[in-house]
Protein backbone atom coordinates (compact mmCIF):
# COMPACT_ATOMS: atom_id res chain seq x y z
CA UNK A 1 0.00 0.00 0.00
CA UNK A 2 1.05 3.61 -0.42
CA UNK A 3 1.71 5.98 2.45
CA UNK A 4 3.30 9.42 2.72
CA UNK A 5 6.20 10.26 5.00
CA UNK A 6 7.02 13.96 5.22
CA UNK A 7 5.19 14.45 1.94
CA UNK A 8 7.12 11.76 0.10
CA UNK A 9 5.33 8.69 -1.26
CA UNK A 10 6.45 5.29 0.09
CA UNK A 11 5.28 1.77 -0.72
CA UNK A 12 4.98 -0.42 2.39
CA UNK A 13 3.46 -3.83 3.13
CA UNK A 14 0.04 -4.18 4.72
CA UNK A 15 -0.20 -4.54 8.50
CA UNK A 16 2.87 -2.40 9.12
CA UNK A 17 2.91 -0.33 12.28
CA UNK A 18 4.56 2.96 13.10
CA UNK A 19 7.53 1.57 14.96
CA UNK A 20 8.45 -0.63 11.94
CA UNK A 21 8.40 2.41 9.71
CA UNK A 22 10.75 4.27 12.02
CA UNK A 23 13.12 1.29 12.15
CA UNK A 24 12.97 0.67 8.38
CA UNK A 25 13.97 4.28 7.76
CA UNK A 26 16.77 4.06 10.32
CA UNK A 27 15.33 7.06 12.16
CA UNK A 28 16.74 8.30 15.43
CA UNK A 29 13.63 8.66 17.56
CA UNK A 30 15.17 11.07 20.07
CA UNK A 31 13.81 14.62 19.76
CA UNK A 32 11.02 13.90 17.30
CA UNK A 33 7.24 14.21 17.29
CA UNK A 34 5.04 12.15 15.00
CA UNK A 35 1.74 13.13 13.47
CA UNK A 36 -0.48 10.85 11.44
CA UNK A 37 -3.05 12.70 9.36
CA UNK A 38 -2.38 15.85 11.43
CA UNK A 39 -2.99 14.09 14.76
CA UNK A 40 -0.06 13.85 17.20
CA UNK A 41 0.73 10.26 18.14
CA UNK A 42 2.26 10.24 21.60
CA UNK A 43 5.36 8.12 22.07
CA UNK A 44 3.58 5.47 24.14
CA UNK A 45 1.31 4.71 21.17
CA UNK A 46 4.04 4.25 18.55
CA UNK A 47 4.47 0.53 19.18
CA UNK A 48 0.87 -0.39 18.43
CA UNK A 49 -0.09 2.29 15.93
CA UNK A 50 -1.31 0.62 12.77
CA UNK A 51 -0.74 2.39 9.51
CA UNK A 52 -3.41 2.51 6.81
CA UNK A 53 -3.39 3.11 3.07
CA UNK A 54 -2.69 6.77 2.19
CA UNK A 55 -1.84 7.75 5.75
CA UNK A 56 0.22 10.89 5.91
CA UNK A 57 2.97 10.61 8.51
CA UNK A 58 4.91 13.67 9.55
CA UNK A 59 8.14 13.28 11.50
CA UNK A 60 8.98 16.61 13.07
CA UNK A 61 11.83 18.08 15.08
CA UNK A 62 13.41 21.36 16.15
CA UNK A 63 15.64 23.09 13.61
CA UNK A 64 17.39 26.43 13.42
CA UNK A 65 15.01 29.38 13.28
CA UNK A 66 14.62 32.91 14.55
CA UNK B 1 19.18 44.15 35.81
CA UNK B 2 17.31 40.99 34.78
CA UNK B 3 13.79 40.82 33.40
CA UNK B 4 10.82 38.77 34.45
CA UNK B 5 9.10 36.61 31.85
CA UNK B 6 6.48 33.94 32.37
CA UNK B 7 7.42 33.25 36.02
CA UNK B 8 11.16 33.23 35.35
CA UNK B 9 13.85 35.86 35.73
CA UNK B 10 16.47 36.14 33.01
CA UNK B 11 19.73 38.01 33.53
CA UNK B 12 20.34 38.54 29.84
CA UNK B 13 17.97 40.77 27.91
CA UNK B 14 19.19 39.37 24.62
CA UNK B 15 17.27 36.51 23.00
CA UNK B 16 18.79 34.95 19.92
CA UNK B 17 17.46 32.88 17.06
CA UNK B 18 19.19 29.69 15.93
CA UNK B 19 18.65 30.03 12.17
CA UNK B 20 21.13 30.50 9.32
CA UNK B 21 24.27 29.28 11.08
CA UNK B 22 26.97 27.24 9.32
CA UNK B 23 26.46 24.32 11.68
CA UNK B 24 25.17 23.47 15.15
CA UNK B 25 28.57 24.08 16.72
CA UNK B 26 28.57 27.65 15.43
CA UNK B 27 25.05 28.09 16.80
CA UNK B 28 26.27 26.93 20.20
CA UNK B 29 29.40 29.11 20.09
CA UNK B 30 27.30 32.16 19.21
CA UNK B 31 24.88 31.37 22.01
CA UNK B 32 27.71 31.25 24.53
CA UNK B 33 29.32 34.45 23.17
CA UNK B 34 26.00 36.34 23.25
CA UNK B 35 25.33 35.53 26.89
CA UNK B 36 21.68 34.86 25.91
CA UNK B 37 19.69 32.47 28.09
CA UNK B 38 16.82 32.03 25.65
CA UNK B 39 17.20 30.70 22.10
CA UNK B 40 14.45 30.24 19.55
CA UNK B 41 14.05 27.16 17.36
CA UNK B 42 11.73 26.38 14.46
CA UNK B 43 9.56 23.27 14.27
CA UNK B 44 9.95 21.51 10.93
CA UNK B 45 10.04 18.13 9.20
CA UNK B 46 13.06 16.00 10.04
CA UNK B 47 15.31 14.78 7.26
CA UNK B 48 14.22 11.16 6.85
CA UNK B 49 17.22 10.22 4.75
CA UNK B 50 19.73 11.21 7.41
CA UNK B 51 22.37 9.12 9.11
CA UNK B 52 21.05 7.61 12.36
CA UNK B 53 23.90 9.23 14.31
CA UNK B 54 23.54 12.66 12.75
CA UNK B 55 23.22 15.26 15.48
CA UNK B 56 20.10 17.28 16.13
CA UNK B 57 20.08 20.94 17.20
CA UNK B 58 18.76 19.83 20.58
CA UNK B 59 21.89 17.69 21.07
CA UNK B 60 23.94 20.90 21.04
CA UNK B 61 21.77 23.11 23.22
CA UNK B 62 21.07 21.71 26.64
CA UNK B 63 17.48 22.47 27.71
CA UNK B 64 18.66 22.37 31.32
CA UNK B 65 21.10 25.17 30.63
CA UNK B 66 19.10 27.31 28.16
CA UNK B 67 15.45 28.13 27.65
CA UNK B 68 14.49 26.74 24.27
CA UNK B 69 11.75 28.85 22.75
CA UNK B 70 9.96 27.15 19.84
CA UNK B 71 8.39 29.39 17.24
CA UNK B 72 5.67 28.95 14.65
CA UNK B 73 7.80 30.34 11.83
CA UNK B 74 6.50 29.57 8.38
CA UNK B 75 2.83 29.66 9.44
CA UNK B 76 0.43 31.80 7.42
CA UNK B 77 -2.80 30.80 9.17
CA UNK B 78 -3.97 30.49 12.76
CA UNK B 79 -4.75 26.84 12.09
CA UNK B 80 -1.15 26.04 11.11
CA UNK B 81 0.24 28.04 14.04
CA UNK B 82 -1.92 26.13 16.51
CA UNK B 83 -0.85 22.82 14.96
CA UNK B 84 2.84 23.73 15.24
CA UNK B 85 2.35 24.93 18.83
CA UNK B 86 0.86 21.58 19.82
CA UNK B 87 3.78 19.75 18.18
CA UNK B 88 6.27 22.02 19.95
CA UNK B 89 4.62 21.32 23.30
CA UNK B 90 4.84 17.57 22.66
CA UNK B 91 8.50 17.89 21.61
CA UNK B 92 9.76 20.13 24.41
CA UNK B 93 7.23 19.47 27.16
CA UNK B 94 6.65 23.18 27.71
CA UNK B 95 3.75 25.58 27.17
CA UNK B 96 5.92 28.53 26.16
CA UNK B 97 5.65 29.37 22.46
CA UNK B 98 6.67 32.25 20.21
CA UNK B 99 3.60 32.78 18.08
CA UNK B 100 4.30 34.04 14.60
CA UNK B 101 1.62 34.11 11.89
CA UNK B 102 2.72 35.83 8.72
CA UNK B 103 0.85 37.61 5.94
CA UNK B 104 2.76 36.32 2.96
CA UNK B 105 6.05 34.90 1.86
CA UNK B 106 7.19 38.14 0.26
CA UNK B 107 6.83 40.66 3.09
CA UNK B 108 6.95 38.23 6.05
CA UNK B 109 4.96 40.84 7.99
CA UNK B 110 2.69 39.64 10.80
CA UNK B 111 -0.90 38.78 9.85
CA UNK B 112 -2.74 40.72 12.56
CA UNK B 113 -6.16 39.03 12.37
CA UNK B 114 -4.80 35.47 12.19
CA UNK B 115 -2.33 36.23 14.98
CA UNK B 116 -5.18 37.38 17.18
CA UNK B 117 -7.29 34.28 16.42
CA UNK B 118 -4.35 31.95 17.11
CA UNK B 119 -3.42 33.77 20.33
CA UNK B 120 -6.95 33.47 21.74
CA UNK B 121 -7.14 29.77 20.93
CA UNK B 122 -3.66 29.03 22.31
CA UNK B 123 -4.45 30.85 25.56
CA UNK B 124 -7.49 28.57 25.89
CA UNK B 125 -5.23 25.57 25.28
CA UNK B 126 -3.01 26.63 28.18
CA UNK B 127 -0.08 28.05 26.24
CA UNK B 128 2.12 30.92 27.42
CA UNK B 129 2.44 33.04 24.33
CA UNK B 130 5.16 35.43 23.30
CA UNK B 131 3.56 37.02 20.29
CA UNK B 132 5.28 38.48 17.26
CA UNK B 133 3.29 41.42 15.95
CA UNK B 134 3.38 44.69 14.04
CA UNK B 135 4.01 47.98 15.83
CA UNK B 136 0.23 48.53 15.92
CA UNK B 137 -0.27 50.07 19.38
CA UNK B 138 -3.88 48.99 19.96
CA UNK B 139 -3.26 45.45 18.73
CA UNK B 140 -0.30 45.11 21.11
CA UNK B 141 -2.58 46.03 24.02
CA UNK B 142 -5.30 43.63 22.84
CA UNK B 143 -2.79 40.76 22.65
CA UNK B 144 -1.75 41.53 26.22
CA UNK B 145 -5.37 41.71 27.35
CA UNK B 146 -6.23 38.27 25.98
CA UNK B 147 -3.35 36.79 27.99
CA UNK B 148 -0.10 36.84 25.99
CA UNK B 149 2.88 36.77 28.36
CA UNK B 150 5.00 39.00 26.12
CA UNK B 151 4.32 41.19 23.10
CA UNK B 152 7.02 41.36 20.44
CA UNK B 153 6.62 44.17 17.92
CA UNK B 154 8.90 44.17 14.92
CA UNK B 155 11.59 46.79 14.47
CA UNK B 156 11.37 46.31 10.69
CA UNK B 157 10.71 43.31 8.40
CA UNK B 158 12.28 39.93 9.22
CA UNK B 159 15.81 39.64 7.90
CA UNK B 160 15.88 43.23 6.61
CA UNK B 161 18.40 44.59 9.12
CA UNK B 162 16.85 48.06 8.80
CA UNK B 163 16.61 48.69 12.54
CA UNK B 164 13.67 50.40 14.24
CA UNK B 165 11.52 52.09 11.59
CA UNK B 166 9.07 53.81 13.93
CA UNK B 167 10.38 54.28 17.43
CA UNK B 168 7.37 56.38 18.49
CA UNK B 169 5.05 53.38 18.08
CA UNK B 170 7.42 51.13 20.01
CA UNK B 171 7.53 53.75 22.78
CA UNK B 172 3.73 53.91 22.94
CA UNK B 173 3.50 50.11 23.10
CA UNK B 174 5.99 50.09 26.00
CA UNK B 175 4.17 52.92 27.77
CA UNK B 176 0.84 51.01 27.65
CA UNK B 177 2.20 47.58 28.53
CA UNK B 178 2.08 45.47 31.66
CA UNK B 179 3.95 42.54 30.08
CA UNK B 180 7.50 42.48 28.72
CA UNK B 181 7.87 44.17 25.34
CA UNK B 182 10.55 42.56 23.24
CA UNK B 183 11.57 44.01 19.90
CA UNK B 184 11.75 41.14 17.44
CA UNK B 185 12.96 41.21 13.83
CA UNK B 186 14.74 43.84 11.79
CA UNK B 187 17.68 44.54 14.06
CA UNK B 188 20.72 44.99 11.81
CA UNK B 189 23.61 45.90 14.04
CA UNK B 190 24.57 46.61 17.63
CA UNK B 191 23.38 50.23 17.68
CA UNK B 192 19.86 49.10 16.63
CA UNK B 193 19.72 46.81 19.65
CA UNK B 194 20.96 49.61 21.89
CA UNK B 195 18.29 51.99 20.59
CA UNK B 196 15.58 49.38 21.25
CA UNK B 197 16.79 49.02 24.82
CA UNK B 198 17.11 52.79 25.31
CA UNK B 199 13.46 53.11 24.32
CA UNK B 200 12.63 50.88 27.28
CA UNK B 201 12.14 47.48 25.69
CA UNK B 202 12.53 44.65 28.17
CA UNK B 203 14.61 42.61 25.74
CA UNK B 204 15.60 42.24 22.11
CA UNK B 205 15.24 39.17 19.92
CA UNK B 206 17.46 38.88 16.87
CA UNK B 207 18.88 36.26 14.55
CA UNK B 208 20.11 37.47 11.15
CA UNK B 209 22.05 40.39 12.59
CA UNK B 210 24.43 37.88 14.14
CA UNK B 211 24.12 34.95 11.72
CA UNK B 212 24.52 37.04 8.56
CA UNK B 213 27.40 39.15 9.83
CA UNK B 214 30.90 38.31 8.58
CA UNK B 215 32.01 37.27 12.08
CA UNK B 216 29.01 35.88 13.99
CA UNK B 217 30.81 35.22 17.27
CA UNK B 218 32.23 38.74 17.37
CA UNK B 219 28.81 40.19 16.51
CA UNK B 220 27.23 38.05 19.24
CA UNK B 221 29.60 39.68 21.73
CA UNK B 222 28.77 43.11 20.28
CA UNK B 223 25.04 42.43 20.72
CA UNK B 224 25.55 41.29 24.29
CA UNK B 225 27.22 44.60 25.16
CA UNK B 226 24.79 46.64 23.03
CA UNK B 227 21.81 45.33 24.98
CA UNK B 228 23.50 45.84 28.35
CA UNK B 229 24.54 49.33 27.31
CA UNK B 230 21.09 50.29 26.05
CA UNK B 231 19.42 49.07 29.21
CA UNK B 232 21.86 50.95 31.46
CA UNK B 233 21.32 54.13 29.45
CA UNK B 234 17.54 53.67 29.77
CA UNK B 235 17.80 53.23 33.53
CA UNK B 236 20.23 56.14 33.87
CA UNK B 237 17.68 58.42 32.09
CA UNK B 238 19.37 60.36 29.32
CA UNK B 239 20.04 64.14 29.44
CA UNK B 240 17.55 66.52 27.90
CA UNK B 241 18.12 67.48 24.29
CA UNK B 242 18.81 71.22 23.91
CA UNK B 243 18.37 73.27 20.78
CA UNK B 244 21.31 75.46 21.79
CA UNK B 245 24.89 74.65 22.77
CA UNK B 246 25.58 74.67 26.50
CA UNK B 247 29.25 74.77 27.65
CA UNK B 248 30.45 71.96 29.87
CA UNK B 249 32.49 74.24 32.11
CA UNK B 250 31.35 77.25 34.08
CA UNK B 251 31.57 80.50 32.15
CA UNK B 252 32.83 82.58 35.11
CA UNK B 253 35.99 80.42 35.46
CA UNK B 254 37.20 81.20 31.92
CA UNK B 255 40.50 83.22 31.94
CA UNK B 256 40.13 86.77 30.74
Amino acid sequence: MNIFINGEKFRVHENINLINILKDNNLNTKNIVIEINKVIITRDHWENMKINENDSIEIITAVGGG
Amino acid sequence: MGFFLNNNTYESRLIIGSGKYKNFQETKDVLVASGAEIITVAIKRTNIGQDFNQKNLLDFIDPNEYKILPNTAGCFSSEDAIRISLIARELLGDNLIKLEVLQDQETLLPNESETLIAAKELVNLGFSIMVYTTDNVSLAKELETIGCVSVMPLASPIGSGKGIIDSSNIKKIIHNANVPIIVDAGIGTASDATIAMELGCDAVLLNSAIAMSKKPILMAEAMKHAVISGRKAYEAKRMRISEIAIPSSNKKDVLS
Side-chain angles (χ1 to χ4, degrees), chain B residues 194-212:
Chain B
T194 303
I195 290 168
M197 295 308 296
E198 285 176 351
L199 293 175
C201 288
D202 294 276
V204 169
L205 196 164
L206 54 90
N207 190 153
S208 302
I210 296 177
M212 303 312 288

Side-chain angles (χ1 to χ4, degrees), chain B residues 128-185:
Chain B
S128 298
I129 305 156
M130 298 172 71
V131 60
Y132 174 60
T133 182
T134 59
D135 61 4
N136 176 330
V137 180
S138 55
L139 177 66
K141 192 64 195 175
E142 193 172 356
L143 289 163
E144 176 189 323
T145 307
I146 64 172
C148 293
V149 299
S150 172
V151 177
M152 304 199 291
L154 52 74
S156 49
I158 292 172
S160 70
K162 285 182 173 175
I164 297 178
I165 285 178
D166 191 340
S167 60
S168 62
N169 277 352
I170 302 284
K171 263 197 224 169
K172 282 179 207 153
I173 290 172
I174 293 166
H175 180 75
N176 291 340
N178 293 308
V179 294
I181 300 300
I182 300 171
V183 156
D184 177 10

Side-chain angles (χ1 to χ4, degrees), chain A residues 5-8 10 25-28 30-33 35 38 40 42 58-66, chain B residues 17-19 40-46 48 50 52 56-59 71 83 86-87 90-91 98 100 207:
Chain A
I5 306 175
N6 287 1
E8 218 177 299
F10 282 80
N25 283 285
N26 198 29
L27 273 163
N28 189 335
K30 198 179 149 199
N31 297 322
I32 61 168
V33 172
E35 269 189 348
K38 297 192 176 178
I40 294 171
T42 53
E58 293 284 353
I59 304 166
I60 306 146
T61 191
V63 300
Chain B
S18 59
T40 66
V41 298
I43 303 296
K44 297 279 164 76
R45 282 173 170 167
T46 188
I48 50 172
Q50 72 184 12
F52 185 88
N56 180 287
L57 178 57
L58 299 177
D59 294 323
N71 67 27
R83 179 182 174 197
L86 291 167
I87 292 167
E90 178 69 19
L91 181 67
K98 180 193 154 189
E100 183 176 323
N207 190 153

Side-chain angles (χ1 to χ4, degrees), chain B residues 104-125:
Chain B
D104 56 71
Q105 197 69 253
E106 197 186 341
T107 66
L108 301 180
L109 291 169
N111 181 323
E112 296 185 341
S113 56
E114 287 294 301
T115 298
L116 201 53
I117 294 167
K120 281 179 184 164
E121 181 64 25
L122 289 169
V123 166
N124 289 336
L125 290 168

